[in-house]
Amino acid sequence: MSWLLAREAQAASPARSANPLAPKPPHFEAKAKAVIFMFMVGGPSSIDLFDPKPELKKRHGQPLPKEFGTFISQFTKGDTPLMASTRRFSRHGESGLEVSDLLPHLAECVDDICFLRSCWCHSTIHAPAMYEWHSGRALMGHPSLGSWVTYGLGSENQDLPGFVVLISGGTDPTGGKSLWSSGFLPSVYQGVQCRSEGEPILYVNDPRGLSRDLRRRSLDALRRLNELELETFGDPETLTRISQYELAYRMQIAVPEVMDISREPAYVLEAYGAQPGAGTFANNCLLARRLVEQGVRYVQLFDWGWDCHGTGAGDDIVNHLPNKCREVDRPIAALLADLKARGLLDETLVVWGGEFGRTAMNEARGGSKFLGRDHHPHCFTIWLAGGGIRGGLSFGETDELGYFVVKDKLTIPDLQATILHLLGLDPYRLTFRYQGLDQRLIGPTDEPRVRHELLA
């Protein structure tokens, strides 16, 4: 039952068992039950990872051909020379898909992966591009994809959040916490940020000197007051508040247990390269498996540090990009293998990507001698695996220089519609009434398409 259909009944007679995160049936049979979305903050370079360009190698150092126009990005005005990748590409698996030598472990998994080489977005700026990716709009204030999913399906584990966020790389993503906001949806659907080091969720534990029994009695009294308020004013956010207090109480037991990766066998920790207590991407990949295994609907991983402009050794594609790839390559491959071995990959959709791609030219900002690429929204690669996706597939094409999409252009709303479809949610029917409109993740038009070509 949707939130809107339930509002009047809940306001008139507040049920003590009402729970907005209770599991809900999908619109139709789903191929996936959960999502793990790994977002590489900054924009990985497809040309150096997944989209080899022999012609670019031939034209290395030459100016961009005039027929491509004058591309203007944040720091590139189209007057810097073309730059071929410094990496070696080779074919892998039965599918023979090409991956660069920066990702040797991931290359072993290509037969389970669908590479989408023709992705496209609007913005050349980090935050707006991230908002577009996660909420369908380039402005903050709209519900994130994870919030829409939990709104539509609820959660299978009532002792854990339905939507969990894990961060690595040393800082929050550029778009900030708006990237996992519930926007105009009830706040119970907002993502909950967890930490792999220290206290898993801030402010959930009881204050010193407060026993669990006293906490329970306090919550019971608070619940009765909130139910009286709900009956008087009919504000559905009151029901959300009741649910969140109760979930926080249950999480005090469930979250520390599921977040404790020291419970894993040594061989599993070694496969991921995980170290209990560290705030690493490897730990977060292992936590993602543990969370979906326990019924969490949507797990979002943000890894900061992929903005390789080449202003110095700390952000170039010769030194820094290989370092970032080493941090994620082994854990991602371990995650895919682990999910597959446990029978979870078929029902878990894994998504990998960043907010945009990188230019085919060297940025050379301020005359820098370090190699780097500027932001490029006109074509880039993301990949999907598991959850009803065709593995061993390369979809879409870019031109010979990796500059524009030339075949099977994929917009972000197309991808969002496809993700919802895989979860059994009709992207055209999943709506929430706000400001007089039936709001949708994919926007007001029916132009976005479910890309059935990607489905197994």
Side-chain angles (χ1 to χ4, degrees):
M1 183 182 299
S2 74
W3 184 270
L4 289 178
L5 291 176
R7 283 181 65 172
E8 287 189 15
Q10 290 165 351
S13 178
R16 289 180 179 272
S17 61
N19 179 10
L21 282 174
K24 304 169 189 174
H27 295 145
F28 46 81
E29 185 177 357
K31 294 179 179 291
K33 293 182 179 179
V35 176
I36 298 173
F37 195 145
M38 298 178 284
F39 197 81
M40 308 294 105
V41 179
S45 172
S46 304
I47 291 174
D48 297 295
L49 299 178
F50 303 119
D51 198 5
K53 294 298 172 188
E55 184 64 25
L56 188 58
K57 191 171 185 178
K58 295 178 184 178
R59 299 188 183 217
H60 177 77
Q62 299 178 17
L64 182 71
K66 292 183 179 180
E67 59 265 29
F68 284 85
T70 301
F71 173 72
I72 298 177
S73 189
Q74 279 201 310
F75 306 103
T76 302
K77 309 305 178 188
D79 55 355
T80 58
L82 294 170
M83 180 173 65
S85 176
T86 61
R87 311 313 307 184
R88 178 175 56 84
F89 284 78
S90 55
R91 298 186 181 276
H92 299 271
E94 294 183 5
S95 56
L97 295 178
E98 290 184 277
V99 178
S100 92
D101 57 358
L102 287 176
L103 298 168
H105 294 91
L106 181 68
E108 298 175 3
C109 306
V110 292
D111 290 335
D112 292 316
I113 293 174
C114 176
F115 291 99
L116 310 179
R117 291 181 171 175
S118 53
C119 297
W120 176 92
C121 72
H122 287 91
S123 181
T124 62
I125 302 173
H126 292 293
M130 291 181 199
Y131 297 142
E132 184 179 357
W133 251 112
H134 294 284
S135 71
R137 311 292 191 280
L139 299 173
M140 65 176 67
H142 295 270
S144 67
L145 175 55
S147 296
W148 278 109
V149 169
T150 50
Y151 162 68
L153 295 174
S155 180
E156 292 188 335
N157 189 326
Q158 299 304 295
D159 296 335
L160 293 170
F163 175 13
V164 172
V165 177
L166 301 167
I167 294 174
S168 58
T171 187
D172 285 359
T174 313
K177 292 177 171 56
S178 293
L179 297 175
W180 55 92
S181 166
S182 58
F184 47 72
L185 292 177
S187 55
V188 71
Y189 302 114
Q190 178 172 304
V192 175
Q193 184 178 347
C194 293
R195 306 186 303 166
S196 56
E197 58 179 334
E199 189 178 345
I201 300 179
L202 296 177
Y203 313 117
V204 167
N205 289 344
D206 293 330
R208 185 176 300 175
L210 181 66
S211 68
R212 190 157 180 82
D213 178 66
L214 181 57
R215 172 74 164 185
R216 179 67 268 168
R217 286 188 287 143
S218 299
L219 285 178
D220 288 342
L222 186 58
R223 182 188 185 103
R224 286 191 292 271
L225 291 171
N226 279 323
E227 286 175 345
L228 287 171
E229 182 177 320
L230 179 61
E231 188 172 1
T232 302
F233 299 105
D235 184 356
E237 274 296 301
T238 307
L239 187 63
T240 287
R241 191 160 59 243
I242 294 171
S243 299
Q244 288 174 324
Y245 280 131
E246 293 297 326
L247 177 59
Y249 180 77
R250 297 192 300 272
M251 285 195 305
Q252 289 178 336
I253 301 298
V255 169
E257 182 175 335
V258 76
M259 298 292 287
D260 183 7
I261 65 172
S262 67
R263 298 169 181 261
E264 293 286 339
Y267 73 89
V268 172
L269 295 173
E270 183 178 357
Y272 281 86
Q275 298 177 329
T280 63
F281 181 80
N283 280 24
N284 289 349
C285 283
L286 179 50
L287 285 169
R289 188 270 287 166
R290 289 174 63 86
L291 289 164
V292 298
E293 195 173 35
Q294 294 299 316
V296 172
R297 184 72 67 185
Y298 196 98
V299 183
Q300 177 77 59
L301 276 60
F302 289 103
D303 184 64
W304 187 86
W306 293 82
D307 196 20
C308 295
H309 285 281
T311 62
D315 72 342
D316 73 335
I317 63 171
V318 176
N319 302 284
H320 184 67
L321 180 62
N323 290 337
K324 290 303 299 180
C325 288
R326 277 190 291 271
E327 290 175 6
V328 306
D329 178 40
R330 182 177 169 189
I332 294 174
L335 173 61
L336 294 176
D338 200 4
L339 290 171
K340 193 171 185 179
R342 294 168 186 268
L344 292 171
L345 186 59
D346 288 342
E347 60 186 40
T348 303
L349 176 64
V350 181
V351 185
W352 183 97
E355 61 266 39
F356 38 53
R358 316 299 298 194
T359 56
M361 302 88 75
N362 181 25
E363 181 175 318
R365 192 195 317 177
S368 173
K369 300 302 180 183
F370 291 90
L371 303 183
R373 305 184 188 275
D374 204 355
H375 306 168
H376 191 70
H378 298 305
C379 63
F380 56 99
T381 300
I382 74 160
W383 58 258
L384 310 173
I389 287 295
R390 288 175 58 190
L393 176 67
S394 176
F395 181 84
E397 293 180 15
T398 56
D399 60 45
E400 59 189 4
L401 300 182
Y403 202 79
F404 291 125
V405 173
V406 294
K407 181 180 178 182
D408 294 323
K409 181 179 179 180
L410 270 169
T411 68
I412 289 175
D414 286 345
L415 291 166
Q416 292 167 337
T418 304
I419 290 171
L420 292 179
H421 177 85
L422 288 166
L423 291 163
L425 294 170
D426 186 335
Y428 310 102
R429 289 170 52 199
L430 184 65
T431 64
F432 186 87
R433 192 76 173 174
Y434 177 68
Q435 292 185 338
L437 297 175
D438 289 329
Q439 303 282 352
R440 305 186 304 191
L441 170 66
I442 61 171
T445 75
D446 289 344
E447 183 179 355
R449 293 189 294 145
V450 175
R451 304 308 293 255
H452 292 277
E453 310 97 309
L454 312 179
L455 310 187

